[in-house]
Amino acid sequence: QVNLVESGGGSVKTGDSLRLSCVGSGRMFTNYGMAWFRQMSGKAREFIGAVGWSADKLDLAESVKGRFAVSRDDVKNAIYLQMNNLKPEDTAVYYCAVDPCHGTTWYGCLTRGKKGDWSSWGQGIQVTVYS
């Protein structure tokens, strides 16, 4: 059974940076897709970014390009979200997710992931940005 635990959230002021971590157990995620999502209060969950099993498989939402970056460490079985120049509208619960992407291309798996249809999710961590 896959278990994902996020850390690194908190309350920061506008313009600050945070780095979220998500460490997994139960499987090695070497060949998995790994992603970050967020859910703002009263809104649907939103895709932020994802990284596949090779360096060319990287996708980032337009809304965070230039400020956020997603990376992974397969030795630590982890995915990271570096968030810079944070704004109050980044306030949300942030979730990591993984999926083995079996039987599909990275694009197909990513498309499914953007719809929220990946197999394993963390419990979420709060990020609050105040002005």
Side-chain angles (χ1 to χ4, degrees):
Q1 180 176 344
V2 172
N3 186 45
L4 301 172
V5 179
E6 299 99 338
S7 62
S11 295
V12 296
K13 64 181 186 294
T14 299
D16 280 356
S17 298
L18 276 178
R19 187 189 191 216
L20 301 185
S21 301
C22 171
V23 179
S25 60
R27 292 281 191 279
M28 289 305 296
F29 300 139
T30 307
N31 296 317
Y32 278 50
M34 308 179 82
W36 287 98
F37 296 77
R38 66 185 179 187
Q39 188 165 20
M40 301 171 189
S41 181
K43 296 190 176 181
R45 189 165 50 194
E46 174 190 14
F47 169 81
I48 297 174
V51 55
W53 47 88
S54 61
D56 61 322
K57 294 174 174 60
L58 189 66
D59 193 85
L60 202 61
E62 287 295 328
S63 60
V64 300
K65 279 184 179 178
R67 298 191 300 125
F68 289 13
V70 178
S71 61
R72 64 188 288 164
D73 184 334
D74 286 343
V75 173
K76 296 182 179 179
N77 224 29
I79 182 174
Y80 305 101
L81 179 64
Q82 178 66 43
M83 304 186 290
N84 299 323
N85 191 23
L86 282 161
K87 304 175 181 180
E89 51 265 41
D90 295 317
T91 295
V93 177
Y94 285 72
Y95 299 88
C96 62
V98 301
D99 194 277
C101 299
H102 287 154
T104 184
T105 63
W106 168 240
Y107 178 76
C109 191
L110 180 62
T111 299
R112 185 163 51 80
K114 287 181 177 180
K115 298 175 182 177
D117 189 23
W118 273 16
S119 56
S120 301
W121 294 79
Q123 79 288 351
I125 191 164
Q126 178 70 44
V127 171
T128 302
V129 185
Y130 54 91
S131 56

